[in-house]
Amino acid sequence: MSELITMDLIVVEQIPVIKERLKTVAEEIDSRLSIVDTLVCDEESVKAVKKIRTEFNKEFADAEKLRKIVKQQVLNPYDEFETVYKECISDKYKAAKEILDSKIKEVEDELRSVKIDKLFTFFNECAESSGVVDYADFERQIMPVFKMSTTETALKKICKERIESVVADIKAIETQPEELKGEILAEFKKSLSAAESISIVAERHKAIKMQLEVQAAREEQKAAEQEVENKVDAAVAPPLAPPTAPPVVYDDPVKTVTFKVTAPLSKLRELKKFIVDGGYKYE
């Protein structure tokens, strides 16, 4: 404890006094309890025992009322003390802490930024020298494990290990079928895992192959059904066309007759139909 803040700064005098008085009352209660413990409770004495219980209950209820009064009397000064304490002590120490924290954070942030920048440069140099710049991701591969407490040497070692892992993954991808390499490399940029990328592409092509097989099977089934339908159509003779009545030939000479017809529209339509169906020429 500092020389400024000592136990002599805050002294509570009322509580010890109350405590001593309570101890005195407790001794009196213990004396009465020793007598109560020897009481015989039977049919004849039960009323007397109940009376004693009532007295104890009333005393306890009175004590509880007193306790609540004392509690309030004790708390009121404490509330006043806490207000003064907050103004004079805690607020000032908190203000000092905020100022110091801000200054320390500013320096630590600058140190952290410098350390990250140096590590970022080193990481990219390693990636470039290994020919895997397109597949090196500082944010995902290094930042999750970055700590200010980790030495620069240890962090550079992690950078080299990450790049070596990328190189190994690229070599593994190069062993895959030529037609799949492009897709696998595209997936590798997302996952940074050769095994996962190869698995994703393999599953994708497996699904495509199954889909094509299902489509081919459907088309084959459709063609087979059409072939059966064609054979059935060929086996069944086409229906005979209904006989056509020979045209009526008249020996009468052709004459032109002009006349005027007056009738309801429905009748005129029937007349026109008769003329057309009968093969008559009209104007």
Side-chain angles (χ1 to χ4, degrees):
M1 189 175 295
S2 67
E3 296 180 359
L4 182 62
I5 304 298
T6 65
M7 291 302 297
D8 296 334
L9 179 65
I10 303 172
V11 179
V12 180
E13 297 180 349
Q14 188 177 6
I15 298 298
V17 174
I18 296 174
K19 186 177 180 180
E20 289 301 319
R21 291 177 180 174
L22 291 177
K23 286 183 177 180
T24 301
V25 176
E27 291 175 357
E28 295 177 4
I29 295 174
D30 287 339
S31 176
R32 293 167 63 195
L33 283 176
S34 62
I35 298 174
V36 168
D37 193 41
T38 62
L39 291 176
V40 177
C41 186
D42 52 25
E43 186 176 352
E44 296 179 358
S45 62
V46 67
K47 289 184 179 180
V49 173
K50 286 184 177 181
K51 183 179 179 181
I52 295 172
R53 183 183 66 178
T54 301
E55 292 175 357
F56 269 90
N57 289 342
K58 183 179 182 304
E59 290 176 7
F60 179 64
D62 292 340
E64 281 294 291
K65 291 179 183 178
L66 180 61
R67 178 186 65 80
K68 292 176 182 179
I69 294 173
V70 171
K71 178 181 178 181
Q72 195 60 45
Q73 291 176 347
V74 171
L75 290 179
N76 285 341
Y78 175 78
D79 290 340
E80 295 175 5
F81 156 77
E82 189 174 38
T83 300
V84 176
Y85 175 83
K86 184 175 182 296
E87 294 175 356
C88 298
I89 304 297
S90 64
D91 286 351
K92 297 185 183 302
Y93 275 100
K94 287 178 181 178
K97 181 179 183 302
E98 289 177 1
I99 294 172
L100 295 171
D101 286 348
S102 177
K103 291 180 178 295
I104 293 171
K105 184 177 185 299
E106 184 177 352
V107 174
E108 289 183 341
D109 286 349
E110 179 62 24
L111 293 174
R112 187 174 189 274
S113 179
V114 171
K115 192 170 185 177
I116 290 175
D117 287 344
K118 290 175 64 177
L119 197 63
F120 178 76
T121 300
F122 178 79
F123 178 81
N124 284 337
E125 288 175 353
C126 292
E128 186 174 356
S129 64
S130 299
V132 292
V133 175
D134 293 339
Y135 305 99
D137 191 323
F138 183 79
E139 286 295 327
R140 288 194 289 165
Q141 292 172 297
I142 302 302
M143 287 308 296
V145 297
F146 176 84
K147 293 180 181 178
M148 280 297 292
S149 58
T150 307
T151 65
E152 185 175 335
T153 300
L155 289 171
K156 285 184 176 181
K157 181 181 178 183
I158 293 173
C159 288
K160 289 181 179 180
E161 290 174 349
R162 294 293 189 273
I163 295 301
E164 289 171 358
S165 177
V166 172
V167 171
D169 282 345
I170 296 296
K171 287 181 179 180
I173 294 172
E174 288 296 328
T175 63
Q176 298 301 304
E178 191 65 31
E179 66 275 11
L180 301 181
K181 288 181 184 179
E183 284 186 62
I184 297 174
L185 288 173
E187 292 294 337
F188 181 67
K189 280 189 175 182
K190 302 176 187 177
S191 65
L192 297 177
S193 168
E196 182 178 341
S197 302
I198 292 170
S199 176
I200 290 173
V201 173
E203 288 297 323
R204 180 188 300 151
H205 279 264
K206 181 180 178 181
I208 293 173
K209 182 180 178 182
M210 290 179 62
Q211 185 176 3
L212 292 175
E213 289 176 351
V214 170
Q215 183 64 29
R218 288 177 180 172
E219 293 178 357
E220 185 178 349
Q221 178 67 22
K222 186 176 180 181
E225 292 174 354
Q226 185 62 48
E227 183 178 356
V228 171
E229 185 177 343
N230 293 340
K231 289 180 179 180
V232 171
D233 291 343
V236 178
L240 296 176
T244 304
V248 179
V249 179
Y250 298 95
D251 295 333
D252 297 340
V254 177
K255 298 291 184 179
T256 299
V257 178
T258 301
F259 60 90
K260 183 177 180 181
V261 179
T262 301
L265 183 60
S266 60
K267 293 293 184 180
L268 292 176
R269 288 174 177 167
E270 290 179 2
L271 177 60
K272 179 180 179 181
K273 186 176 184 300
F274 172 78
I275 293 172
V276 172
D277 292 347
Y280 298 99
K281 293 182 179 180
Y282 69 95
E283 295 181 358

